[in-house]
Amino acid sequence: DMSKIMKKSNKAIVKHISSFLEYCEVEKGLANLTIKNYHRFLSPFEAWLTKQKLFKLLPHELSQKHIWDYRLHLSRSNLQKSTQNYYLIALRSLLAYFAEKDISSLPPDKIKLSKNKDGKKINFLSLDKIEKLLLAPNIKNVAGLRDRAILEVLFSTGLRVAELVNLDRDQINLEVLNNNKNKDLELVVIGKGNHPRTVYLSDRAIHWLIKYLEKRDDNDSALFINMMNRKIVVSRQISTRSIENMIKKYCKMKGLPITTTPHTIRHSYATDLLEQGVDLRTIQEFLGHRNLVTTQIYTHVTSKHLRDVHRAFHSGGRLKNE
């Protein structure tokens, strides 16, 4: 909105940092850990300003040249590219805060992130490997049915394993599911930092959930339970460790990468959506990432795919004249 009147602040940038952190807490409702991180990631910028005798620099005096010099300073440190990016993202958030508060300064998009050569290698399985994993459990017994349902739900929703183990049985109404065989199901989960989001179960996942729940003969409130131990008086809710071990077991059995974890399935879910052309913002919603930067780790997976799409559909062949 260009009609906003931006005002010049006469308070130095470094003096705005504590108000920015309060804003993150009160207005944006960010988790304590996130706020601590912002604080930590902004301190190198503060130190750099001090060293450059720019401690009194006002928001509207911050120039592209300052940003460039700071980036240069970071790149000459022996920090990993990903860490440098965290510092830059924090600075970008500070500039976004200035914009939000109508304080004249550089627009946040003037801060470009470092190209991440040493970036996280995303561990994901191609669709045929995912299928191998999903088909691995022996569905003749109830523990196998439970495992199949867990794997199907993980791949259908992209849930974090901690979110999956916390699902309650009363979030799934069997009668309703049985009567609406080809309906999909929405579940609300509480993600990191207590943020609720909606995830969606595919027909396939619902099919295996029904099969598993029909075989349950207990009244435990947890959706996924430990089958072995019937002696537990409190809930037999399955542990995240059990799910990790279960996935390792099936991967060994099927000759799949032994590095596969529940998170690999979450990555595979996101990668599959990307390859079908779903945009990052939407995937960010599905995964419950608070920050699009977290979602951006997927972009390298599909940049080749996007290039091929561009070549196929937008190579200029439909334009008539040279």
Side-chain angles (χ1 to χ4, degrees):
D1 181 6
M2 292 313 289
S3 60
K4 270 188 169 185
I5 306 298
M6 301 304 263
K7 51 188 184 287
K8 290 182 176 176
S9 167
N10 54 9
K11 196 163 86 171
I13 293 174
V14 289
K15 296 270 191 273
H16 277 283
I17 291 178
S18 54
S19 326
F20 161 67
L21 297 171
E22 273 166 26
Y23 159 83
C24 286
E25 182 182 7
V26 178
E27 292 188 43
K28 292 193 77 179
L30 296 182
N32 276 341
L33 184 66
T34 310
I35 295 165
K36 273 203 187 91
N37 280 340
Y38 272 142
H39 195 188
R40 202 172 90 224
F41 295 148
L42 281 170
S43 54
F45 183 61
E46 244 181 282
W48 178 80
L49 285 173
T50 311
K51 204 170 167 212
Q52 300 295 314
K53 311 235 182 319
L54 293 170
F55 200 72
K56 294 188 168 148
L57 193 75
L58 302 175
H60 63 272
E61 296 171 337
L62 183 68
S63 67
Q64 293 254 229
K65 173 87 169 79
H66 290 132
I67 301 292
W68 174 254
D69 290 344
Y70 178 54
R71 282 191 55 180
L72 204 58
H73 160 73
L74 288 179
S75 67
R76 285 175 179 161
S77 60
N78 50 11
L79 293 167
Q80 275 199 318
K81 281 280 199 301
S82 53
T83 310
Q84 294 177 37
N85 279 342
Y86 284 132
Y87 294 157
L88 295 169
I89 290 159
L91 187 52
R92 198 190 261 178
S93 303
L94 179 64
L95 295 185
Y97 159 76
F98 288 151
E100 178 68 26
K101 295 290 173 204
D102 305 332
I103 294 168
S104 178
S105 190
L106 278 177
D109 59 6
K110 291 292 180 212
I111 296 187
K112 303 280 180 271
L113 299 185
S114 302
K115 290 278 182 284
N116 201 350
K117 296 274 191 302
D118 54 25
K120 287 185 189 149
K121 189 77 186 86
I122 295 270
N123 232 337
F124 71 97
L125 298 177
S126 55
L127 222 46
D128 54 329
K129 288 195 172 121
I130 281 283
E131 194 158 37
K132 264 189 183 162
L133 179 58
L134 295 179
L135 299 176
N138 172 9
I139 51 177
K140 296 219 169 34
N141 59 51
V142 66
L145 277 174
R146 177 205 61 193
D147 293 351
R148 176 74 188 258
I150 287 174
L151 293 168
E152 293 280 358
V153 168
L154 281 174
F155 187 61
S156 168
T157 57
L159 281 172
R160 297 178 178 98
V161 66
E163 296 165 342
L164 178 101
V165 298
N166 285 326
L167 290 175
D168 274 331
R169 205 165 162 178
D170 59 13
Q171 286 177 272
I172 312 270
N173 186 325
L174 254 185
E175 259 157 64
V176 173
L177 283 187
N178 267 320
N179 296 334
N180 301 323
K181 271 292 197 293
N182 39 10
K183 271 275 199 306
D184 46 18
L185 174 71
E186 299 183 6
L187 283 182
V188 174
V189 295
I190 305 297
K192 272 189 180 173
N194 279 338
H195 291 290
R197 76 175 186 284
T198 307
V199 295
Y200 303 87
L201 291 173
S202 61
D203 288 356
R204 259 182 83 124
I206 291 170
H207 171 82
W208 289 104
L209 259 181
I210 292 174
K211 281 197 168 321
Y212 154 65
L213 287 172
E214 284 174 344
K215 288 275 184 284
R216 286 260 305 261
D217 57 358
D218 59 274
N219 49 16
D220 200 291
S221 62
L223 178 59
F224 294 115
I225 58 168
N226 178 339
M227 297 294 180
M228 305 307 288
N229 199 340
R230 289 182 169 269
K231 304 228 170 21
I232 303 175
V233 187
V234 285
S235 177
R236 290 158 55 193
Q237 176 182 328
I238 196 169
S239 67
T240 54
R241 173 60 57 84
S242 298
I243 295 184
E244 285 160 6
N245 292 340
M246 175 260 282
I247 289 177
K248 288 236 178 311
K249 175 183 87 177
Y250 291 130
C251 284
K252 269 189 183 148
M253 224 165 88
K254 293 290 171 190
L256 296 168
I258 204 67
T259 49
T260 304
T261 64
H263 221 71
T264 311
I265 300 179
R266 182 170 154 87
H267 286 326
S268 307
Y269 159 82
T271 304
D272 185 55
L273 288 174
L274 261 175
E275 297 204 314
Q276 295 182 66
V278 178
D279 66 293
L280 272 182
R281 282 256 169 243
T282 310
I283 293 172
Q284 178 190 8
E285 295 279 322
F286 279 149
L287 292 172
H289 285 159
R290 300 292 294 156
N291 196 327
L292 190 64
V293 174
T294 321
T295 320
Q296 278 166 347
I297 56 173
Y298 294 105
T299 46
H300 82 276
V301 175
T302 48
S303 50
K304 181 195 169 303
H305 170 75
L306 293 175
R307 193 179 65 230
D308 295 346
V309 168
H310 190 274
R311 199 173 285 154
F313 296 103
H314 200 79
S315 57
R318 300 199 320 282
L319 297 171
K320 294 281 184 292
N321 299 314
E322 282 292 310

